[in-house]
Amino acid sequence: MPKSSCHTLATTLILAMAGATFLGAGCAEGGSDPAMHTRAASSVPADTGERPGDRAAGRRLRSLPPELRFEGRTLDGRPFTGSNLAERPVVFWFWAPWCPNCVAEAPHVAAVVRKYGDRVAFVGVAGLGDNRNQMRHFVARTGVGTGDMPQLDDSTGRLFAHFRVSSVPSFVFMTLDGTATRESGQLGQAGLEQRVRAIATGR
C-alpha cells in the first residue's frame, strides 16, 4: 500500500476512534442518548394537575359539618371562612355589646381562651345590634380581642340564624367530628372550662 494511503487510513482510524470516545463520553453524561431521555421521561409520573394538598382540601370540604359552611367578616373588616376551623374543636361565643351578662362572662371567656387556645379554636360572634363602634369598644375593654379569638361582625343576624342562636350570651361547642352542642346563659369560668376540656380531649 502506498505510503500516502497508509497515512490517510491511519488518520481516518484515529479520527473515528476519537469520535467514538467523544460519543461514549456524551452518553455517560446522559446528554446525547435519545434512549436515555426516553427512559428518564417514562419514569416521571404524569402530572394530572392535582396536588396532594388539593385532594386533602377537597376531602375536608366535602366532609365539612353544616355549621362550618359559612363566611363572614371580623370586626376589623377581614374576611373569615368557617372551613378554616375544620382541623380543631371549636367554641363559638355569641354576645352583644349592650348585654350586661356578656360583659360579666367576657373575662371568663378570655381566661379559657388563654388556657386552651392552642388546642381549641375560639370565635366570638357579635350581633343583635348594628353599632360596630360599640362592638369594638366591648372587645377592647373586656379583653376578648386577642389574636387567638377572632370576633365576627354579625350585625345582620345571619350567623345567629345559621347557628340557631336567639339569645346572648350563648355558646356552641363543636367537637372534631362536627357534633355541636348549644348552651345559653352564663357558664362562669369553671363551667366553661369543663365543657371546653371535654371537646379538647374528646371525653
Side-chain angles (χ1 to χ4, degrees), residues 35-114:
M36 180 172 287
H37 286 296
T38 302
R39 289 193 298 274
S42 65
S43 66
V44 177
D47 187 355
T48 63
E50 185 180 39
R51 300 292 183 266
D54 297 336
R55 292 193 292 272
R59 287 193 299 270
R60 184 183 68 175
L61 291 176
R62 285 193 295 273
S63 62
L64 198 65
E67 285 84 355
L68 297 185
R69 299 178 185 271
F70 72 88
E71 294 182 352
R73 287 195 173 273
T74 63
L75 288 178
D76 55 6
R78 291 176 297 170
F80 189 92
T81 303
S83 61
N84 292 336
L85 303 169
E87 305 300 329
R88 289 192 291 171
V90 190
V91 176
F92 293 94
W93 178 45
F94 294 82
W95 57 271
W98 43 261
C99 166
N101 289 338
C102 299
V103 174
E105 190 79 306
H108 307 313
V109 173
V112 175
V113 171
R114 287 193 296 270

Side-chain angles (χ1 to χ4, degrees), residues 16-29:
M17 292 175 62
T21 303
F22 177 77
L23 289 173
C27 290
E29 292 295 325

Side-chain angles (χ1 to χ4, degrees), residues 71-169:
E71 294 182 352
R73 287 195 173 273
T74 63
L75 288 178
D76 55 6
R78 291 176 297 170
F80 189 92
T81 303
S83 61
N84 292 336
L85 303 169
E87 305 300 329
R88 289 192 291 171
V90 190
V91 176
F92 293 94
W93 178 45
F94 294 82
W95 57 271
W98 43 261
C99 166
N101 289 338
C102 299
V103 174
E105 190 79 306
H108 307 313
V109 173
V112 175
V113 171
R114 287 193 296 270
K115 186 170 183 178
Y116 291 92
D118 60 336
R119 288 175 280 172
V120 177
F122 292 85
V123 179
V125 184
L128 302 183
D130 59 0
N131 192 318
R132 292 180 182 83
N133 287 332
Q134 288 184 2
M135 293 176 179
R136 285 190 284 264
H137 179 64
F138 177 97
V139 169
R141 72 189 177 96
T142 58
V144 293
T146 66
D148 291 331
M149 188 175 190
Q151 300 289 341
L152 305 186
D153 177 2
D154 192 37
S155 302
T156 65
R158 183 172 56 85
L159 293 179
F160 270 70
H162 174 77
F163 284 93
R164 300 186 295 281
V165 171
S166 59
S167 63
V168 291

